[in-house]
Amino acid sequence: PLSGGCFGWRSELSLQSSRGKSVFKSALMTSLPPVKSPDGTPPSRPKMLVCYICGREYGSKSLSIHEPQCMKKWEQEQSQLPKHLRRPRPKKPEFPQEAGSGGGSPGGVDAQNEAAWESYKNNLVPCPNCTRTFLPDRLDIHLKSCKPKQEGLKLPKI
């Protein structure tokens, strides 16, 4: 055991060598078994919900706080664009609800996320040259490198 110096606490650390480099590992971290569920599988992360405006994932409690702020930001960005480039306001999709689920069941969350993701994808703008979709502010950058295909140029077959 190594002493903690002037702080008076003690920590059990093991010093290991890895190709000549000193590596400190906590004895507590190296001795604990991995966490598993009662059925033996690793725990899954909590279900996150997708924002229909920006496409990011948020916790169930955070999404209701995020959406109004995200819409406000979206409206501010749109107001700075020329009128011919402005898009219609994204509409919150109708989430299919399973009977008695209240949207909280894993199937309800998956259906809600699918509907929100489709709504987000519908707000993307396609490139006129290659048809890939982009956020409006990213399309201008993409167009600098994406050139229209020329029909007359074909490579000879060898």
Side-chain angles (χ1 to χ4, degrees):
L2 300 174
S3 67
C6 63
F7 296 111
W9 53 268
R10 294 173 58 121
S11 173
E12 293 186 23
L13 298 173
S14 60
L15 177 62
Q16 298 178 349
S17 175
S18 173
R19 295 185 188 182
K21 296 181 181 178
S22 297
V23 179
F24 285 97
K25 290 188 177 181
S26 167
L28 180 63
M29 294 302 290
T30 57
S31 64
L32 290 178
V35 177
K36 294 195 177 200
S37 299
D39 63 355
T41 60
S44 62
R45 70 178 212 169
K47 287 284 189 178
M48 304 293 274
L49 300 174
V50 176
C51 173
Y52 71 97
I53 303 165
C54 67
R56 295 186 187 132
E57 293 183 323
Y58 292 89
S60 59
K61 303 288 184 194
S62 301
L63 185 64
S64 61
I65 297 168
H66 165 78
E67 281 180 347
Q69 295 173 348
C70 191
M71 183 58 78
K72 189 179 204 179
K73 180 181 177 186
W74 185 90
E75 288 171 345
Q76 286 175 342
E77 290 171 353
Q78 290 297 307
S79 69
Q80 294 174 354
L81 293 173
K83 287 193 178 190
H84 69 280
L85 293 178
R86 293 182 189 171
R87 297 176 295 148
R89 183 179 177 160
K91 292 182 179 123
K92 189 169 186 166
E94 293 294 323
F95 302 121
Q97 299 254 338
E98 296 175 3
S101 71
S105 69
V109 170
D110 290 340
Q112 182 176 347
N113 282 345
E114 186 65 32
W117 184 250
E118 287 301 319
S119 177
Y120 167 71
K121 287 193 321 186
N122 290 336
N123 291 324
L124 298 177
V125 181
C127 170
N129 301 328
C130 67
T131 67
R132 286 177 56 196
T133 56
F134 296 90
L135 291 169
D137 60 332
R138 302 284 104 198
L139 181 60
D140 291 337
I141 295 167
H142 168 75
L143 287 172
K144 292 177 183 176
S145 63
C146 183
K147 304 298 178 204
K149 293 181 181 177
Q150 295 179 353
E151 293 286 330
L153 295 176
K154 292 185 179 179
L155 296 174
K157 294 182 181 179
I158 298 176

